[in-house]
Amino acid sequence: MGSFIEVVLGGLMAGVLYSLVALGFVLIYKASGVFNFSQGAMVLLAALAFARFSEVMPMPVAFLLAATMMVALAFAVEWLVLRRLVNQDGIVLFLATFGITYFIEGLGPQLFGDNIYRIDLGMPKEPKIILENMFEGGLLINLEDLIAAVVAGLLVAFLALFFQKTATGRALRAVADDHQAAQSVGIPLNRIWVIVWSVSGFVALVAGMIWGSKLGVQFSLVLIALKAIPVVILGGFTSIPGAIVGGLIIGVGEKIAEVYLGPIIGGGIENWFAYMLALVFLLVRPEGLFGERHIDRV
Amino acid sequence: MSAVAAVNAAVVAPSRGIGEVILALENISLAFGGVQALADISFDVREHEIRAIIGPNGAGKSSMLNVINGVYHPQQGTIYFKGEKRHRMEPHKVASQGVARTFQNIALFKGMSVLDNLMTGRSLMMKTGILQQALYWGATQREELAHRAKVEEIIDFLEIQSIRKTQVGRLPYGLQKRVELGRALAAEPTLLLLDEPMAGMNVEEKQDMCRFVLDVNGEFGTTIVLIEHDMGVVMDISDRVVVLDYGRKIGDGLPDDVRNNQAVIDAYLGVKH
Amino acid sequence: MFYRENGQFKTTYQADQAMLPIAQDRAFMVAVLLVAFVAVPLLADEYLFRAILIPFLILALAALGLNLLVGYCGQISLGTGGFMMVGAYAAYNLALRVPDLNMLVVFILAGLITTVVGMLFGIPSLRIKGLYLAVATLAAQFFLDWLFSRVKWFTHDSSSGSVSAPDLVVFGFKWDAPVEKYLFVLSTVVLFTLIARNLTRSHIGRSWMATRDMDVAAEIIGIRPVYAKLTAFAVSSFFIGIAGALWAFVHLGSWEPLAFDVNRSFSLLFMVIIGGLGSLLGAFLGAAFIVILPLLLNQLPHWLGIPVSTATAAHFESMIFGALIIFFLIVEPHGLARLWAIAKEKLRLWPFPH
């Protein structure tokens, strides 16, 4: 029983990290109707920047510098890409983010190097054993993951409040609905997009720091983005709490499938389990657990 | 008499006699979530007639056409078509029974040419299989040419020869509406549903459209159900009229009777219910 | 001046519906075919065949298939690599396990097997579209990746995970010289292009385009969405499966699942987009673009005399590729084919300005 709970806990922790990346997706989609495929590349870029900056300067400074860089990226994306594709089909914008992905995947390593870099956030690396009196041998948990979970939770709470309660949040939701309509009521599209991509960039930075600290900063971070897509499908494209719930479900589901199904049908299930789960959802409930239903009028 | 009607009265083709009931709707009720779009509506349509459905915006007219079409399925009520009770049917099945329609917001295939759009109207009559089409020369080519000939007749009828190869998305609004009518006609329907065919047109374009509608009814004998806001057009080309308001039927009969019906007048003038 | 339809009157519908109604287009096509079948084999060297022409032709075939699905029928698919993989492994297993089977039959059967798989993974398109469908096809890609790596039967229990194709022997003649392989692939591609053209100008092609443009209206006039979408997946998968088999047998020789991974899927989708959705010519233009671009970018520092490390070259390739995708989406979302069509329009008027 103890080991099952450990697997679940491990899955929950991984899930929280997926959610951090998925959060970036949801923000941009919620506020501009664009599905940002380059979120993973942004995580990598932010992590690389932070890792290299912190080699030569104290961490808070490195953090600020990296955050500034992500804001600059947001400006660049808005000016070079989004502004030129106003009111195009959603699929065109989605494909444009592919272009951004390739660009960042080249730019990041070019600016900051190809090697694997370490991020040391000063977090405790050794796992702790807890609840020794409830379970035999106690449960092994990772303090690092726990801190990550708390950080993610705080971010989510803050962002959810922001979208619901503030005027800017309302403007962001209007833009997601209809670019031209939002413009016609005086919402400054360009500024909104810069804001949203900056916030998303900031979330990517936090995600990058945590993932980087755990795995080391390397190219495979980009692949995490591919995992985050099913998370968003499960949670709903427009739901911030959905990103968290979806991430947890995927994280736990993956781990359980790998540990318990793996030996039966061969390992490596983790590669496609999330997608199969997403596929099921797409057929049964495409708007996800918390998303909004989209109705086509004839 | 309005100007439009005066012109049309002069050129209207002799119409066939109005026949038996071809479409009967009994106690149709349709709701979406909390909204009652149609409430207990019953009326019939006779063969070869032009039946107009009128009413203020939001009265449920388009929903009514969607029900006839099979796009919406009413929670209650029965539909009889050509004498037979119709069970819940998907739109393509309804189309195969001889029902065609046009749409309020033009539902043409914008990426295709006028000719191709009209040819899609013949889809139900095209029978060759994939392998034959992959080869093309032979059965498929013969079929394509036969249907092309028929479609060209419609192109002549609607006077759109000069734009037959133009991509539909590039045509002005009035011509798009005409092409949409052409696509509906290509299916050689028994029952034609027209959803605001004259919306957004100037007087000249309306005259042309009226002429086409009357000719379709006169020459081909097609039964027409028509939603229209222009009262002049409705009063002068339709044989009978149904009036809807807030999803309920408030008038049904000859144009003049309906015009003088107090309930109808109130609905249009916005008297409080 | 030269490219005009003046004087070319069509007196029958048949003439009007011909594949290439304008005389100059017919002449151009004849010239292209002559160059392809006669001039190139005589003049090209081995490098040209191996590195450029053969991959270009096979990828053009796959792009053709994908364009039918994405460009004509409007169903997005990110699982193309996976379907190529199905075709490759199907052909491999057929050639290996069924002795003395004619190679042409092997390829056709491989195509048919891919058709079935494609239709299966096309079922979600009946309920979801756009971005959601893209994700569903990604699921197909990752699942197929896993299937062909894990299930040993497919790779004939190969310990390294990679397999080698047998020689290409058709009608007793061994096609293994580069020029022979080129002609084999060229003939196949010409045949399939013809088939694609015929399908797009028949009623099935129209049903695809109608489903793409407005599927609700299409259903109302009698075009059944199930039929349109599944046939699009079926035909497209047939093309892609055969392309996969050719890629494995003719181009690669030996391969492993990685050769058909998600990057291949993206690369094919970009070919179709940059080339032009809904245009057969677009598949060829896009394939040419994607095949030639990396070679160009690789050679560029060399020509400019700037020494550049391979890592940097790879980074810049990625950046330029990304920038080009964005550029095309902004400037001409309808791709190179549209630019070509605009050029032809201008040519019609030349030398007059308008």
Side-chain angles (χ1 to χ4, degrees), chain A residues 98 102 110 114 267 272 283, chain C residues 127 132 146 150 266 315 318:
Chain A
F98 271 82
Y102 277 99
Q110 183 59 27
D114 280 304
W272 53 263
L283 295 174
Chain C
R127 290 218 59 191
Y132 300 117
W146 176 84
R150 291 294 158 170
F266 284 142
H315 296 152
S318 194

Side-chain angles (χ1 to χ4, degrees), chain B residues 111 133-134 144 148 152 165, chain C residues 13 16 198 202 204 206 213:
Chain B
Q133 290 174 66
E144 288 282 314
R148 170 78 188 264
E152 287 287 340
K165 294 278 176 78
Chain C
Y13 295 135
D16 193 48
N198 285 341
S202 308
I204 197 171
R206 283 192 294 268
D213 285 342

Side-chain angles (χ1 to χ4, degrees), chain A:
Chain A
M1 182 58 180
S3 74
F4 176 74
I5 296 198
E6 270 178 8
V7 169
V8 170
L9 280 178
L12 284 173
M13 298 302 179
V16 167
L17 297 180
Y18 286 144
S19 306
L20 270 181
V21 182
L23 208 56
F25 274 129
V26 170
L27 281 177
I28 291 186
Y29 190 81
K30 208 171 158 66
S32 58
V34 178
F35 187 76
N36 177 23
F37 193 77
S38 70
Q39 193 68 26
M42 281 165 69
V43 169
L44 175 67
L45 183 67
L48 273 173
F50 180 76
R52 301 295 255 131
F53 288 151
S54 60
E55 280 172 14
V56 295
M57 54 186 88
M59 277 210 283
V61 181
F63 180 80
L64 277 167
L65 207 55
T68 314
M69 196 187 72
M70 296 312 278
V71 171
L73 178 71
F75 271 95
V77 165
E78 189 278 319
W79 188 66
L80 290 170
V81 182
L82 296 177
R83 194 182 290 211
R84 325 267 162 173
L85 293 172
V86 172
N87 241 65
Q88 288 268 17
D89 241 0
I91 202 85
V92 171
L93 289 162
F94 172 56
L95 294 168
T97 61
F98 271 82
I100 299 175
T101 307
Y102 277 99
F103 191 81
I104 296 180
E105 282 177 3
L107 184 69
Q110 183 59 27
L111 286 178
F112 298 112
D114 280 304
N115 302 317
I116 303 179
Y117 301 103
R118 307 227 48 234
I119 292 183
D120 188 3
L121 292 174
M123 295 212 279
K125 295 267 177 213
E126 314 87 41
K128 271 193 71 158
I129 299 187
I130 59 165
L131 296 178
E132 285 183 76
N133 35 355
M134 282 223 309
F135 299 98
E136 184 166 314
L139 292 175
L140 216 60
I141 61 159
N142 228 313
L143 269 183
E144 198 176 17
D145 291 341
L146 200 57
I147 296 176
V150 170
V151 168
L154 286 172
L155 255 182
V156 165
F158 170 72
L159 286 167
L161 272 171
F162 178 72
F163 266 91
Q164 280 305 118
K165 303 291 179 192
T166 65
T168 318
R170 206 164 32 240
L172 293 175
R173 283 186 282 141
V175 169
D177 215 19
D178 190 326
H179 295 173
Q180 276 185 337
Q183 265 181 318
S184 65
V185 297
I187 295 177
L189 218 52
N190 306 331
R191 209 183 312 159
I192 294 290
W193 279 339
V194 171
I195 292 175
V196 119
W197 278 71
S198 300
V199 173
S200 211
F202 177 77
V203 170
L205 176 58
V206 173
M209 281 164 61
I210 295 180
W211 274 103
S213 154
K214 213 174 142 60
L215 296 177
V217 179
Q218 50 182 310
F219 195 75
S220 59
L221 278 185
V222 172
L223 300 175
I224 297 175
L226 286 179
K227 276 294 176 58
I229 295 177
V231 169
V232 175
I233 303 252
L234 246 73
F237 277 86
T238 51
S239 163
I240 292 175
I244 296 287
V245 173
L248 293 178
I249 295 178
I250 296 269
V252 172
E254 259 186 0
K255 281 281 182 300
I256 291 184
E258 185 68 43
V259 170
Y260 293 104
L261 273 181
I264 306 174
I265 53 177
I269 295 185
E270 281 184 311
N271 291 341
W272 53 263
F273 178 80
Y275 271 88
M276 277 307 175
L277 194 56
L279 186 58
V280 169
F281 260 81
L282 284 174
L283 295 174
V284 167
R285 202 190 152 86
E287 69 272 15
L289 292 168
F290 299 95
E292 293 144 12
R293 272 219 118 181
H294 187 72
I295 303 180
D296 280 316
R297 280 215 102 196
V298 177

